[in-house]
Amino acid sequence: METVYINGAGCISAQNTFDTEFLEDISLNETENMLPAKEPSYKEFVPPAASRRMAKGVKMGIAASHQALKEAHLELPEAIITGSGMGCVEDSEKFLKAILDNDEQFLTPTSFIQSTHNTVGAQIALGLQCKGYNFTYVNGAVSFETALLDAKMQIENNETNSILVGGIDELGQYTASLLKLVNIIKKEEDQPFSVLNPNSRGAVFSEGASFFVLEKEKKESSYASVEVVSIINAVQPDQLKNHISTFLNSNNLKIENIDAIVLGNNGDMQFDHYYDIAGKMFNDTPQIYYKHLSGEYNTVSAFGFWVASKILKNQEIPKVLKMNTLEKEKYRTILLYNQYQGKDHSLIVLKKC
């Protein structure tokens, strides 16, 4: 089977991560329970007239994908695969509000058309004139991992040479108000919002877009190779240790082969014990967290994937990401583990190329 290389990456998040050095400009916010994305100027990527009609998620996806393609020196991918948990939720809210305001009459379909999850992949394809395979996965907190697995399998089996893959989600104010009611988003009175020492239920929510160019050809721009992607819907806490051990054994890996582990702690005291169990397994391994920077959303694992890729390329872990003080001389193999509310568990292995 062909090796799958990450040859380009683009990221828009709650931090200044677009077209900058790796996490050089960081602002930690422990007082806001919703973190909007720091968006770039879209003039370079989208005509201003079209930009006014586009959802935020679409614009973020177009810009992040453009950055990834630019890094990989690739003009046209052979396929585009995206993952999104909520789609363009702002347009969904606009359409539902219009239904109520207009008594279900004389509705313009624009917001409804633009609210579908596959709008981002479609708009990227239109801009690039890419007429190849185009698919969007809507699979909760493993939407990005499912897209990544599809792309990996296609390249490994020589079905295609290059794929643009990414994860996108945006914040919607009304949707966020509903999530607060059911303790999915932290309440204002629970601040400061600490990820490593949580004292309340829920998480700080955010939005973002992370895109990657995957190819079977290794280039100077290559970050890492994607070795394994594993997804499982539910694992009980007392089964997690065995699940991770089985995963490592089935891929001819041992705990000591892992040079760093990226964990998805989000500060939810009800479910972060999963990461405590994983952390104890890798007690002698450098441990990394990232959701204190990015916030939580369905495809935030794509941000974690971006972080791991950058570490393998730069061979350095920024201090702001460290959960412990351990370091390695070289980072060859990184394991990523993420789950959301006890479900949608994913394990990914990246290797230095």
Side-chain angles (χ1 to χ4, degrees):
M1 291 193 299
E2 298 288 343
T3 303
V4 181
Y5 295 102
I6 306 166
N7 287 342
C11 180
I12 295 174
S13 69
Q15 303 295 332
N16 187 14
T17 52
F18 187 81
D19 205 17
T20 61
E21 292 299 319
F22 181 38
L23 300 179
E24 66 173 2
D25 181 18
I26 291 302
S27 58
L28 289 175
N29 188 335
E30 293 188 341
T31 60
E32 301 290 335
N33 56 5
M34 292 194 297
L35 305 175
K38 292 189 176 179
E39 301 174 83
S41 170
Y42 294 117
K43 292 179 181 178
E44 182 184 345
F45 316 107
V46 185
S51 178
R52 285 192 293 271
R53 297 190 299 271
M54 282 184 177
K56 183 191 289 189
V58 174
K59 291 186 283 188
M60 289 194 298
I62 289 173
S65 62
H66 181 275
Q67 184 69 16
L69 290 167
K70 181 180 176 183
E71 273 196 6
H73 304 289
L74 182 68
E75 290 187 7
L76 187 67
E78 294 181 16
I80 299 172
I81 308 176
T82 55
S84 181
M86 296 293 288
C88 299
V89 70
E90 282 189 340
D91 275 318
S92 298
E93 291 179 2
K94 286 178 186 176
F95 184 71
L96 292 171
K97 186 175 185 299
I99 290 175
L100 296 173
D101 292 346
N102 295 284
D103 197 26
E104 302 184 19
Q105 300 179 68
F106 314 116
L107 297 173
T108 57
T110 307
S111 292
F112 175 74
I113 294 167
Q114 293 180 342
S115 70
T116 56
H117 293 72
N118 59 358
T119 303
V120 181
Q123 289 291 343
I124 293 170
L126 283 169
L128 296 173
Q129 287 298 294
C130 175
K131 299 174 183 177
Y133 179 90
N134 193 312
F135 207 89
T136 297
Y137 285 95
V138 184
N139 199 10
V142 288
S143 297
F144 170 71
E145 287 86 343
T146 314
L148 180 66
L149 184 58
D150 185 354
K152 180 176 181 290
M153 292 171 66
Q154 289 197 45
I155 292 175
E156 284 180 341
N157 292 303
N158 265 317
E159 293 179 24
T160 187
N161 297 313
S162 61
I163 297 180
L164 178 67
V165 61
I168 323 97
D169 274 298
E170 65 179 32
L171 277 173
Q173 292 300 317
Y174 184 72
T175 303
S177 69
L178 298 178
L179 295 178
K180 287 179 185 177
L181 291 175
V182 291
N183 295 316
I184 289 177
I185 293 180
K186 285 188 180 293
K187 295 178 178 176
E188 283 81 357
E189 56 265 29
D190 293 329
Q191 60 178 277
F193 307 120
S194 173
V195 168
L196 292 187
N197 299 296
N199 60 1
S200 58
R201 291 175 58 189
V204 173
F205 260 59
S206 187
E207 58 190 354
S210 300
F211 272 80
F212 308 90
V213 172
L214 304 184
E215 295 181 282
K216 68 179 182 181
E217 176 190 352
K218 183 180 176 182
K219 296 180 176 178
E220 286 186 14
S221 63
S222 294
Y223 283 78
S225 61
V226 184
E227 297 295 313
V228 192
V229 180
S230 173
I231 300 167
I232 188 169
N233 176 251
V235 178
Q236 295 302 316
D238 58 354
Q239 298 172 340
L240 181 62
K241 187 174 180 180
N242 183 59
H243 173 65
I244 294 175
S245 297
T246 302
F247 168 82
L248 293 174
N249 290 335
S250 62
N251 292 288
N252 298 315
L253 290 168
K254 298 179 181 178
I255 288 176
E256 52 266 30
N257 298 142
I258 304 300
D259 298 311
I261 181 169
V262 179
L263 298 169
N265 297 64
N266 68 2
D268 188 336
M269 64 180 294
Q270 191 173 4
F271 298 104
D272 269 9
H273 60 278
Y274 278 96
Y275 299 114
D276 296 336
I277 295 168
K280 286 176 182 176
M281 288 184 68
F282 294 87
N283 209 33
D284 298 322
T285 304
Q287 297 180 9
I288 297 160
Y289 72 129
Y290 59 90
K291 290 181 185 175
H292 60 307
L293 304 179
S294 66
E296 178 67 86
Y297 50 96
N298 282 136
T299 52
V300 70
S301 53
F303 182 87
F305 189 85
W306 176 80
V307 164
S309 302
K310 287 282 189 179
I311 290 170
L312 284 171
K313 189 171 186 178
N314 298 344
Q315 288 295 295
E316 184 180 358
I317 302 175
K319 188 176 180 180
V320 71
L321 297 173
K322 292 182 177 181
M323 293 180 72
N324 58 21
T325 57
L326 298 175
E327 293 184 356
K328 290 284 182 79
E329 286 186 16
K330 290 186 178 180
Y331 297 98
R332 298 183 181 87
T333 305
I334 290 183
L335 173 67
L336 296 92
Y337 169 54
N338 189 59
Q339 58 83 28
Y340 180 62
Q341 295 197 325
K343 296 180 180 179
D344 291 341
H345 300 256
S346 65
L347 291 163
I348 300 172
V349 175
L350 299 182
K351 283 194 175 180
K352 185 180 184 304
C353 55

